[in-house]
Amino acid sequence: MQVTWDENVCIHAGKCVAGAPEVFKVEDGQFKIDVTAAPEDKVRDVVAQCPSGALKIQE
């Protein structure tokens, strides 16, 4: 599973970072996604909560 992020769609609501800070983080001004840092079902749940649809799951 891979998660992609579209910065042009993102409204920076922060639900991803709040919901799974071990997966979604900002480091040195860059948005980082590490899908291996949490169980797949948790990552899927957080991606589903993205209000703008900027996060997408690719199988």
Side-chain angles (χ1 to χ4, degrees), residues 10-29:
C10 183
I11 61 171
H12 305 284
K15 289 189 174 268
C16 55
V17 175
E22 67 279 17
V23 176
F24 303 98
K25 0 179 150 182
V26 178
E27 294 177 346
D28 298 323

Side-chain angles (χ1 to χ4, degrees), residues 24-42:
F24 303 98
K25 0 179 150 182
V26 178
E27 294 177 346
D28 298 323
Q30 298 290 318
F31 187 62
K32 307 282 185 175
I33 302 171
D34 179 7
V35 296
T36 65
E40 186 175 313
D41 60 332
K42 180 175 183 178

Side-chain angles (χ1 to χ4, degrees), residues 2 5 12 17-18 24 30 36 38 42-43 45-46 48 52 54 56:
Q2 180 181 4
W5 172 66
H12 305 284
V17 175
F24 303 98
Q30 298 290 318
T36 65
K42 180 175 183 178
V43 175
D45 183 52
V46 172
S52 67
K56 303 276 186 205

